[in-house]
Amino acid sequence: MRGQAHTLEAIVASLVLLTGLIFALQMTAVTPLSASTSSQHIENQQQSVSEGVLATAAERAALKPALLYWNNSSQKYHNESGTGLGKYASTPPNNTFGTMLERVFDERGIAYNVYFRYRDGGSQSRIIYLYNGRPSDNAVAASYTVTLMDGDHLYDSDGTQNETTLSEATGFPIPDRGANVYNTVRVEVVSWRI
């Protein structure tokens, strides 16, 4: 009799445990977009790649020329997409920084936007330099700060410096903030998986 009671008690306990487990699984939905260790690893990897691109571009002196890749006569960036928004759409600019972005992100199937953030009076403003769409919820951002000086020269479409200095530029989208230092710009890359 005692053996039967223990067996019955074990069966009821296992049913209660199984019911609780089924209920818990019903309450949590696992989708492809759910946060997991692997998606966090991918985001960390993208963060490192973005930081690496910016650091390499700065080391190779490609960030400042990207900021100064300005056509003074048309008052827009060289070969920009013509959207009227002062940006390149989908295709990076034909300069060293643009080539680096294309090589690193496009070949890996990673979407990205590039913004130039700067001080304008008392507020923070930004220029969309390159736009590939609205970032997803798991997008990551990396940035690098560049100081523009009044005596920095603009760049022609072939990547060579021209005679026009930044203080002489017309229509340049980033405003002059004072003597010698033109402005400080944070180049920001936001990237996400497609």
Side-chain angles (χ1 to χ4, degrees):
M1 192 77 158
R2 265 190 150 155
Q4 291 174 339
H6 286 292
T7 304
L8 184 59
E9 185 180 332
I11 291 172
V12 169
S14 63
L15 284 175
V16 168
L17 199 63
L18 185 62
T19 304
L21 185 62
I22 290 171
F23 181 74
L25 287 175
Q26 295 281 334
M27 294 303 290
T28 58
V30 178
T31 67
L33 298 177
S34 296
S36 68
T37 330
S38 63
S39 68
Q40 184 62 48
H41 176 71
I42 290 170
E43 289 174 24
N44 291 343
Q45 192 175 22
Q46 281 176 220
Q47 178 82 32
S48 296
V49 167
S50 299
E51 289 170 353
V53 166
L54 288 169
T56 304
E59 184 180 304
R60 293 184 182 171
L63 282 182
K64 190 178 273 193
L67 285 160
L68 300 172
Y69 194 61
W70 183 255
N71 186 333
N72 205 39
S73 57
S74 68
Q75 297 186 6
K76 63 181 188 174
Y77 284 101
H78 292 288
N79 308 317
E80 78 176 38
S81 62
T83 60
L85 300 173
K87 64 184 174 189
Y88 296 93
S90 302
T91 306
N94 188 24
N95 57 28
T96 305
F97 183 51
T99 303
M100 292 173 77
L101 290 169
E102 192 170 36
R103 191 174 299 141
V104 171
F105 292 114
D106 291 346
E107 291 179 6
R108 292 185 175 145
I110 298 173
Y112 58 97
N113 293 337
V114 178
Y115 305 103
F116 295 158
R117 295 186 184 275
Y118 58 91
R119 300 286 300 162
D120 187 6
S123 63
Q124 188 76 243
S125 297
R126 80 171 186 182
I127 295 171
I128 300 171
Y129 186 67
L130 192 141
Y131 189 75
N132 282 302
R134 186 168 180 253
S136 68
D137 292 338
N138 57 349
V140 294
S143 62
Y144 195 93
T145 303
V146 177
T147 302
L148 297 176
M149 306 300 284
D150 287 337
D152 288 337
H153 289 267
L154 299 181
Y155 283 77
D156 289 328
S157 61
D158 64 359
T160 59
Q161 277 187 351
N162 61 38
E163 294 299 315
T164 309
T165 63
L166 195 49
S167 61
E168 301 166 341
T170 53
F172 194 70
I174 299 168
D176 190 351
R177 298 253 318 156
N180 291 338
V181 175
Y182 186 85
N183 208 325
T184 304
V185 182
R186 197 172 82 227
V187 179
E188 182 181 49
V189 175
V190 177
S191 60
W192 66 97
R193 282 267 172 211
I194 300 174

